[in-house]
Structures are given as C-alpha cells and as structure tokens.
Amino acid sequence: MINVLRSINYGLRRDVGVIVSLVMMFFMPYTIMLFMCAAEGMPLSECTPSYYFAAQNMAAVLAISYVGLTIISCKAMGGDSKDKTINYELLSGHNRLKIYAARSLAGIAWSVLPLMFISFLSVGVIALINGWGMETDPIDVIIRIALCVFPLIRICALNMMFTSVFNSAGKGIAMGFGMDLVISICTTISEEVFHKEIDYGFGFLNIIFLLTSQNSREVIIEGKPVNLFDTALTPEMYIKTIGFAVVFTVVYLLIGYVVFKKKDRD
Amino acid sequence: MSEKIVEVRNLTKQYGKQKALDDVTFSIKKGSIVGLIGPNGAGKTTIMKTLGGLVYPTSGEIEMYGATDEKGLNHARTRMSFMIEAPYEKEKMTARENLEKQRLQKGIPDKKRIDEVLKQVNLENTGKKIVKNFSLGMRQRLGLANALLAKPELLILDEPINGLDPEGIVEIRELFRRLNKEENITLVISSHILSELSLLCTDYVFINNGKIKGVFTEDELKAECSEYIQINTDNNEKASAILIDKIGIEKMDVTKESGIRIYEKLDEIRYISKTLYENGIIPVEIAKNEVSLEDYYMKMVSGV
C-alpha cells in the first residue's frame, strides 16, 4: 500500500489541477479578509481582528475551499482512471483493497490536511497583522476549527465515493458539486417550510453550525466586548460532529470500495 | 518438457448474453514466446485482462506460478509485467517521470533501472519532452520500458508492435528475442501482424469469437502450413475417389471452394496427373502450393 501511496503522491505533486487548487486554497482566507474589509469600508486593522475572522469568516473560507477540496480528493481517487494507468496498479499485483485504501488516504491527506493547515495558519497570520481583537477564548476557536476536520473528511469521502462509483474524477467532481447544491436546496426547504434546522450529517451544515456568524455574537461583559458563540461546545456537539462524520465516512468509503472491488476494470 | 507457468482452464467470461470468452483452455510454458492470434474482438485482450486481474472470469480457473487463489495470483503478478490496451502513460509527464511513478508503485529500489530500460527501448534521449508530444511508436516503446522495469519473468503484451515503423519493428523483435534468450523471459504477444509473429513465436494460440480454435507449437504449425498439391478437375468428386482408390491418397481435403488438396506424395505430381487422365478425368489445375500462415490463420479463425 505504501508503494501505491508513494506513486499517487508523485503524480499529485505534478498535477496542475491539484497545484492550482492548493494555491487557491492558500490565498482564500486572505482574499475573504480583504473582501470583507472592502465590503465594510473599514481599514484592514479594524475590520478583521483574528478572532472576528476565525469566528465570522472561517466557515466561508472552508465552504469556498470546498471547490479545491473536491477537485483534489476526486483526482486522488480517480485521476488515473481516465488514462487507465490505475489498471497498472492491479497488474503489478496490488490487491484492490490496498489500492483503494491508498487512494482514499491520499485523497484525505492531500485535501483535508492542507486545508486545516491553511485555516490555522491564516488565523495566526491575521492575528499577527491585526491582533486577536476582543476577548474570545482562542482555545475555543481552535477547537471549533479543529472539529471541522471531521465533516471535511466526510465530504471528502462522499466525493471519493462518487469518483469510485462513476470511475471518473470529472464525474466525481460534478456529482460532489451537484450534491452540495441539492443539500443547500433541501436545507432551505427544511428550514423555511418545516421550520426544522439540520445541523449535522450533510454537506457543510456541521461546519456552518460550528463556525458561522449566525452562531456567534458580541456581548459586553464587565464593560469589555466579548465574542460569544451561541452554542457552547457541549459534549453533544463533540459526539454528533465526530459521530456523524465517522459513520458517514465509513458508509461512503465502503460503498466506493464495494464498487471498486466488484467492477471489471475494462 | 518445459515447466508450465500459466494454465488457463475452461475460462468463460460473459457480458450479459455475450460470451467474450467461451471455455478457453491453454497453457504457457516457461521460456516460450506465445503468439495469441485472432481478429479484433476475438477475446485476446479479455484473456490478458483476466490474467492481469482486471476482469473477473464468469467461470473457469487460472493457475499462475502454482497459485489459484486471489492472494497467490496477486503474488504471481509481481513476477509478471503487462502492457494491455493502452501503454502506461501520463500524457503531461516525461518518459522518465512516467517510469519514476511506476518505479515507486512497483517498489523498485534502484533508480538506475529507469536509465537501463529507457536505453533498451531507445528512449534515453527524450529529455523533457512530455508524452503528449510522443509519436505512437514512442508511446509503445514507453509502454515496453514500463513493462521491463521490474525485470519480469513473464511479459504479456497486447499488440506491442502496433504503431512502430519497420525499423522499430525489427529493433523490438530483436529486443524480444534477446529478452527471451539471454534473460529467459517468457513472452505472450498478441498481434495482427502474423508475419511478425511467425518470425518470433515458439507457440501459437488461435482464438476467434471467444473460443480457442487451435494451440500449436512452432513445429506443429510448420507442419500444418506445409506444401500441398492443388487439383481442380471437371469432376472433383470422381477425381477424389480415383486418388483414394488408384493412388492410395489418405491426407486430402475436398471442398467446393478450394477443390482438392493433397498433402502427401508431393513429388508424384506427374503420376497423379497421368492417373486422373487415364481414368477419364481432365485436370483443369494441378500445381504444388504452400499454405501460408495467413491462409492457415483464415482457415482457423473463419473456417474458410
């Protein structure tokens, strides 16, 4: 499996689509910060102290970086399907489970891990430039961003499942974006028609629930402005965030594997 | 007798109602060069894909290096190399990068092996040229380089000389011979260029419509492609009876399309002619001919 992983890594390092996606993801936090400043019409130092950025804008950063995440994860799983070079992994005697596991691992490692690194780095960089701002517990912010790794892995697994089922990175990417659109529509219908909020399990809902501005507000405590998240990090949040992500990730990866295992590689 | 390293027994592959392979049985001996011969859609590539583990058989059994279970077959595949359908190629990478990716995948520790195989297939001077800009022949050579990378004991190649120029075909033929003789690599080659296979192969497997039509050694095929006397008369039915009764001919084919073909007493053409004439048969055509590999191929695959 290690050999297959090394080979995939070698290919991804030379894939223009992957490099462009990573660069886009790297600059996304700063682009959003500048955009927010321009929208507010405020100087850079005032409009986005780091706490504000992390609490208010990180969900947008992750949601837009979803494009890059989808491209990279689908390319890791099925980038070698179009030219059939993936077949040479089987022809070399690697079994299907090891090939699938290596590709899943590469998909997560090349998309979720850089995105998490970029997210934390941007909070640090913006804190250095603009300061931390109002008194918000940095640990609380860091835990919330860190928790996002679980739904991101789930989303990544869903993309890879589509790629495996359709045996095509392109179709996987299209289905990933399509599914995101469907979830957005369903969420809106659920909230507007049935007045029922969905917070876990699908698309970016969990990440939005953990990080967005709807979920945090400014209050004055003992004369000091403090940023509070409406929902404290409760054990239920930990369990549901991690639990939903793990269950769905396993289900998605299993479906993808069953298709990969059963299908002839014609 | 040479050791059998691959045995295919009663292999059937069905896609819906269509049988791509139908009860295929043959074996590959160590040190041989096997030519897999058949028209497009005959099932040659499906056989190779089944051996490579890309396609699951509907029924039947494959034994490779003594293994029949999935784990054992996968281990056997580490001793083999394949080039099936498309050669291994990432279009936006150079030849060297393509081979480096494969070197990592196959776990080959020696980086110098890439230089060796590039030299073997005459691609050592392609530099930074990406595969997208390679000719078809160059792509085939890269596929061969990839197949040779892991120093396999058995090479399975699907149409390896497809797209090569005449000079390239000679070079690759010599390379195959060298690999077989000097490195004792067994080769299985499918090709439409029968004349090329006849210059190279020690064993032949004829296939059409998913069925094996014949399995021959080089000597057996030479015997089948031997000389014969072609006879056409005003009455072939009566002529064939005379040939049996008066001359004692036993090895003979009589068809409406080809007339009479005699495979024995080849030096007695005058006597045969005279006997027919004396018995009231007028020979329209009587000549010594030879069955070419192409003729035999047509006969095997289409029954003509």
Side-chain angles (χ1 to χ4, degrees), chain B residues 54-110:
Chain B
L54 298 179
V55 163
Y56 294 109
T58 307
S59 62
E61 191 179 49
I62 295 171
E63 184 177 335
M64 298 194 298
Y65 292 101
T68 52
D69 62 318
E70 194 184 335
K71 194 179 173 189
L73 289 174
N74 275 332
H75 182 70
R77 286 181 190 114
T78 62
R79 302 167 71 175
M80 304 155 69
S81 271
F82 296 82
M83 189 175 85
I84 299 178
E85 277 190 330
Y88 183 90
E89 53 182 38
K90 303 296 290 178
E91 285 208 318
K92 289 175 183 169
M93 289 186 188
T94 64
R96 188 173 293 276
E97 284 171 340
N98 266 283
L99 293 174
E100 175 62 11
K101 190 170 187 295
Q102 280 295 285
R103 185 188 71 81
L104 293 168
Q105 187 259 106
K106 293 178 182 191
I108 301 163
D110 185 9

Side-chain angles (χ1 to χ4, degrees), chain B residues 87 89 134-141 162-164:
Chain B
E89 53 182 38
F134 277 20
S135 66
L136 185 57
M138 288 168 83
R139 287 172 184 232
Q140 288 292 91
R141 287 162 192 269
N162 192 20
L164 294 176

